[in-house]
Amino acid sequence: MSWLAGIDIGGTKCAVCLGEIEGSGIRISARRSFPTDNGNTTPYSVIRRLIATLDELLLEQGSPRLLAIGISCGGPLDSRQGLILSPPNLPGWNGVDMVRPLREHYGIAVGLQNDANACALAEWKWGAGRGSHNMVFLTFGTGMGAGLILNGALYSGTNDMAGEIGHMRLEASGPDGYGKAGSFEGYCSGGGIAKLARSMALEELRKGESPLFCPKAGMLDAITAKKVGEAAAQGDPLALKVWGIVGKQLGRGLAVLVDLLNPELIVIGSIYGRQQPLLEPLVMQELQREALPYSMSVCRIVPAQLSEQIGDYASLSVASRLLPS
C-alpha cells in the first residue's frame, strides 16, 4: 500500500492527514487538526507540533512507510526553496523553511505549494476537474484566489504569484478585498460579501428599514456571508440584492478568465457550491453578456466536488506530485 501525508497550514488551524493511494484515487485514512496560534506560538513551534502530530497518526496506523509529504499554505511563498514568505494570515511567518525540518525528520521528499494551486491540483486529480486539460480553480471562500491548470500542468508563474485574481479591480470603488477597493475579492469572498452587506444594511437602517439579516444597528458587526445567504433563502429583498451584486461581479471576473485563458472548465469552491441555485443564473447571464461567445461555448462552470475536505486533498495532491511518474 502506498501512503502519502498532507499538511494544511491556515491562519486559524493546521491539519495533518494520511492518505492511501487506491488506483487513480486516494482515501484519507486519518486526520487531526489543531489551532495555529494558541497565543504563545512561533512558526517553528507549530512545525514541531505538526511533526509530532504526523508521528502520532503514523503510529496509530501501524507505522506505514510514507512515500512523500505535501504542504499546502497561503502565499506568498517560494515553492522551489520551500519557504513561507509572510502570508497576511500568518503574521511572523517570514522566510520560514517548511520543507527542510520535515525532510530531515522523515528522510523523504517534501513539497510546498500555494493553497489555491494545491486545491486546483486536487480538483484536477480527484475532483470536478478530472480529465480536463485547461482548468481554472477559484477558491471563493475567506478570500478569492485562483489555481491554473494549463496545457495539462500546473502554472504557478515566475515566482509563485500566478492566479492572484482577487487583486483584479472590477469597480472604481466598492468593498475592500486584497487591499484594494472594488476588487474581485472585495465582491466575491466571505469577508467581502459581509462588508458589502454591512454597508447596504446600514443604508437601509438609516431609512427605517429592518433587513432580515440585520434588523438592528447593533448587529452590523455580526453580519456574515452565511447569514446573508440564509436571509436570501427566506426571500429577504436586501439579501437578494446583495447576492445579485455578487453574482454579477463573479460573472464579470469569470468572463476575464474565459477570454484570457480559454479554459474548458472553471471549478469554483466553497461559497459557490453552497449558493449555486442563487448565483448560477446571475453568473451565466453576465458571462453571456461579457465573454467571447466562441470561448464561452467550450467552457463549463461547475462547483468543486471535494467540498469541505478540499484542504486535506490539496495537501495530498502536493505530495502526489513528488512520486515517480
Side-chain angles (χ1 to χ4, degrees), residues 27 39 70 122 128 140 191 252 265 276 290 314:
R27 181 174 68 88
F140 198 10
R252 184 172 293 181
L265 189 66
Q276 186 181 2
E290 291 288 331

Side-chain angles (χ1 to χ4, degrees), residues 58-265:
L58 288 168
L59 189 62
E60 291 170 6
Q61 296 298 315
S63 300
R65 185 173 70 90
L66 279 181
L67 299 181
I69 300 170
I71 306 164
S72 171
C73 180
L77 48 77
D78 184 334
S79 63
R80 295 167 184 83
Q81 298 295 320
L83 302 177
I84 296 176
L85 304 175
S86 199
N89 64 334
L90 291 169
W93 289 60
N94 187 18
V96 175
D97 190 335
M98 270 304 308
V99 167
R100 182 180 296 177
L102 289 150
R103 188 170 56 213
E104 290 178 350
H105 184 82
Y106 294 102
I108 58 176
V110 182
L112 171 69
Q113 192 55 253
N114 173 285
D115 55 358
N117 289 345
C119 288
L121 285 168
E123 285 289 342
W124 183 49
K125 192 174 183 67
W126 300 308
R130 281 173 293 183
S132 64
H133 201 60
N134 293 298
M135 184 199 94
V136 176
F137 173 81
L138 294 180
T139 57
F140 198 10
T142 304
M144 170 59 80
L148 309 175
I149 305 294
L150 303 178
N151 293 326
L154 176 69
Y155 178 76
S156 56
T158 304
N159 65 346
D160 286 316
M161 290 297 287
E164 297 293 356
I165 192 71
H167 195 244
M168 179 176 69
R169 196 187 297 276
L170 296 177
E171 299 287 354
S173 62
D176 180 272
Y178 216 124
K180 183 183 284 186
S183 65
F184 197 7
E185 184 169 297
Y187 283 104
C188 299
S189 67
I193 293 167
K195 289 176 184 176
L196 177 63
R198 200 170 292 131
S199 66
M200 293 173 69
L202 182 58
E203 288 183 18
E204 291 299 296
L205 289 167
R206 286 171 174 167
K207 295 175 186 176
E209 303 294 334
S210 298
L212 184 60
F213 61 88
C214 183
K216 299 177 182 178
M219 301 173 69
L220 283 166
D221 289 342
I223 293 174
T224 63
K226 182 180 179 182
K227 288 183 179 179
V228 182
E230 291 169 347
Q234 297 179 56
D236 179 65
L238 185 63
L240 290 169
K241 187 175 180 181
V242 170
W243 286 106
I245 294 170
V246 173
K248 179 180 179 179
Q249 299 293 359
L250 179 58
R252 184 172 293 181
L254 295 186
V256 173
L257 293 170
V258 169
D259 290 350
L260 182 66
L261 300 175
N262 191 204
E264 65 198 273
L265 189 66

